[in-house]
């Protein structure tokens, strides 16, 4: 459904010298700086896939989505979406995809969402019967039937985001680009949107490319992720294998010694643990936390239990946020 080959976008910006005379000099001798927001990015996405698109701020995620949407032209490279070239901005292509940006609105602020939906129906030339069936389905799935005639400005952020999704899906796009759709939402609204997107993807086999800084979005929705850093793709594969991308898979072991006295705890589990097991921290409540390679979990756990009495011990995966941060730092 989506085929990207060596996609590159370079932005050329003017560097103004400080002060009045700097501005005067700039009239005759301009200095420019080139920044590659995307560098030779290549990937393929099959029909119906739900793919996470990750990277820190400024990595080039939004730029890539805009190139796939035809909003900006690539400096070099090619992209094909459902057989179309986005740079040609053909009407047939614009009817095929939708772009939702969490920080930009497409609904009219001073109108009820229902009136914006009617305008979108007219723009796309949607048959009344099919439009109404689609609208009813989306409104039911997102549970916003009572809010259709409320001015958009009076909706909560979560309700407004649901209306934005409805507006994007009224014409039944085959490809959906989502740029941080849950940004700023509370936990309940985030969960509701994730549930909707999961169900909609399975029901209609829409191809979805999602960017988000909330790792819960990625973990719950995407089996595959593409990671870019400084405009360069550094990982493309299964989410459950991402832990190994930056090095050996690691686990976190947290345990609470069954010793009330802090001095006794320090004696049983001294600072020398730091050199033997890597990073070891001790919280105010007396709990020790170690980050160890996955293959050493059993041996380290046995050593903990044999060193002194332990009241509680837990073993868990390193949080996805930490894995990705370590991956960025290693580049």
């Amino acid at each position: 459904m989506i085929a990207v080959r060596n996609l590159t976008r370079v932005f050329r910006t003017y560097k103004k010298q400080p002060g009045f005379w700097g501005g005067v000099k700039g009239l005759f001798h301009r200095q420019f700086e080139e920044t590659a927001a995307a560098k030779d990015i290549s990937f393929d996405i099959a029909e119906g896939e739900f793919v996470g698109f990750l990277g820190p701020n400024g990595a080039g995620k939004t730029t890539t989505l805009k190139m796939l949407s035809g909003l900006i032209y690539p400096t070099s490279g090619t992209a094909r979406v459902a057989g179309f070239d986005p740079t040609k901005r053909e009407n047939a292509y614009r009817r095929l995809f939708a772009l939702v940006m969490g920080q930009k609105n497409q609904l009219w602020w001073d109108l009820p969402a229902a009136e914006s939906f009617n305008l979108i129906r007219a723009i796309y030339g949607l048959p009344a019967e099919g439009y109404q069936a689609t609208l009813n389905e989306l409104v039911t799935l997102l549970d916003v039937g009572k809010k259709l005639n409320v001015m958009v400005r009076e909706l909560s952020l979560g309700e407004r985001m649901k209306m934005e999704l409805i507006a994007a899906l009224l014409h039944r796009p085959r490809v959906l680009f989502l740029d941080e759709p849950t940004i700023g939402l509370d936990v309940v609204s985030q969960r509701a949107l994730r549930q909707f997107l999961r169900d909609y993807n399975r029901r209609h086999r829409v191809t979805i490319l999602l960017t988000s800084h909330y790792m819960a979005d990625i973990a719950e929705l995407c089996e595959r992720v593409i990671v870019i850093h400084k405009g360069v793709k550094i990982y493309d594969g299964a989410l459950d294998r991402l832990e190994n991308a930056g090095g050996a898979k690691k686990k976190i072991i947290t345990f609470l010694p069954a010793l009330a006295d802090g001095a006794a705890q320090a004696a049983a589990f001294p600072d020398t643990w730091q050199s033997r097991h890597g990073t070891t921290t001790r919280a105010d409540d007396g709990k020790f936390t170690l980050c160890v390679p996955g293959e050493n979990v059993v041996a380290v756990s046995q050593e903990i239990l044999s060193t002194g009495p332990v009241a509680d011990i837990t073993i868990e995966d390193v949080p996805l946020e930490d894995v990705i941060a370590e991956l960025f730092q290693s580049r």
Side-chain angles (χ1 to χ4, degrees):
M1 181 61 73
I2 301 176
V4 174
R5 295 291 178 272
N6 304 114
L7 204 61
T8 299
R9 172 65 190 197
V10 177
F11 290 100
R12 191 167 182 249
T13 56
Y14 165 58
K15 291 180 62 177
K16 179 184 178 302
Q17 298 298 316
F20 172 77
W21 288 111
V24 173
K25 291 178 182 178
L27 294 174
F28 304 96
H29 301 285
R30 284 183 169 252
Q31 294 182 345
F32 294 92
E33 182 179 65
E34 291 189 345
T35 302
K39 303 177 188 176
D40 292 321
I41 295 177
S42 299
F43 58 81
D44 293 303
I45 299 178
E47 182 177 4
E49 269 197 285
F50 202 136
V51 179
F53 198 34
L54 305 180
N57 290 330
K61 305 185 298 299
T62 301
T63 297
T64 302
L65 292 188
K66 287 182 176 180
M67 286 190 286
L68 293 177
S69 303
L71 294 177
I72 60 177
Y73 290 94
T75 304
S76 62
T78 61
R80 306 289 293 184
V81 181
F84 289 93
D85 180 354
T87 62
K88 294 183 178 180
R89 300 180 179 178
E90 300 169 79
N91 284 337
Y93 176 60
R94 288 189 283 187
R95 292 176 179 274
L96 180 140
F97 80 94
L99 170 65
V100 178
M101 307 182 75
Q103 301 186 63
K104 292 189 177 181
N105 300 323
Q106 61 178 319
L107 299 175
W108 278 260
W109 195 252
D110 294 313
L111 292 178
E115 295 192 30
S116 292
F117 296 158
N118 278 321
L119 179 58
I120 291 171
R121 179 184 72 82
I123 290 173
Y124 281 96
L126 303 175
E129 185 176 342
Y131 160 78
Q132 195 59 52
T134 301
L135 179 61
N136 291 342
E137 177 192 1
L138 295 172
V139 167
T140 301
L141 286 173
L142 288 169
D143 192 25
V144 290
K146 296 181 180 179
K147 300 293 183 178
L148 287 178
N149 293 310
V150 177
M151 284 195 301
V152 171
R153 66 163 57 251
E154 296 178 1
L155 297 174
S156 70
L157 183 57
E159 293 167 345
R160 198 155 63 241
M161 198 64 238
K162 291 178 180 179
M163 297 300 185
E164 293 284 347
L165 277 173
I166 292 175
L169 297 173
L170 281 173
H171 64 289
R172 297 283 189 189
R174 295 171 58 195
V175 179
L176 182 60
F177 300 122
L178 299 173
D179 189 21
E180 300 189 45
T182 59
I183 189 168
L185 301 187
D186 60 72
V187 174
V188 175
S189 297
Q190 288 180 25
R191 186 182 297 118
L193 280 183
R194 287 197 292 264
Q195 182 64 46
F196 167 76
L197 291 171
R198 184 188 303 112
D199 294 344
Y200 195 84
N201 170 251
R202 292 172 179 172
R203 181 178 303 190
H204 298 286
R205 286 192 55 77
V206 177
T207 304
I208 302 178
L209 187 58
L210 165 71
T211 78
S212 179
H213 287 296
Y214 296 121
M215 291 303 104
D217 293 347
I218 304 300
E220 292 187 27
L221 295 173
C222 308
E223 294 183 356
R224 173 189 170 195
V225 294
I226 299 170
V227 184
I228 64 174
H229 184 46
K230 297 180 181 178
V232 179
K233 185 182 75 173
I234 60 176
Y235 178 81
D236 182 356
L239 178 63
D240 58 6
R241 296 179 182 175
L242 180 61
E243 295 173 319
N244 299 323
K249 185 175 181 179
K250 295 182 179 179
K251 294 278 188 177
I252 290 179
I253 302 177
T254 303
F255 66 95
L256 176 65
L259 299 168
D261 182 70
Q265 290 182 7
F269 306 99
D271 292 339
T272 52
W273 278 63
Q274 181 81 13
S275 59
R276 296 207 309 271
H277 304 300
T279 303
T280 305
T281 59
R282 180 183 174 192
D284 293 338
D285 60 2
K287 288 184 178 180
F288 286 82
T289 301
L290 297 82
C291 185
V292 300
E295 64 270 16
N296 296 345
V297 168
V298 174
V300 174
S301 298
Q302 290 175 342
E303 183 180 350
I304 291 171
L305 296 174
S306 63
T307 300
V310 174
D312 182 42
I313 184 170
T314 60
I315 301 172
E316 58 187 358
D317 292 326
V318 175
L320 184 56
E321 293 91 337
D322 294 347
V323 173
I324 294 175
E326 183 177 345
L327 182 61
F328 293 154
Q329 292 169 3
S330 66
R331 299 287 168 165

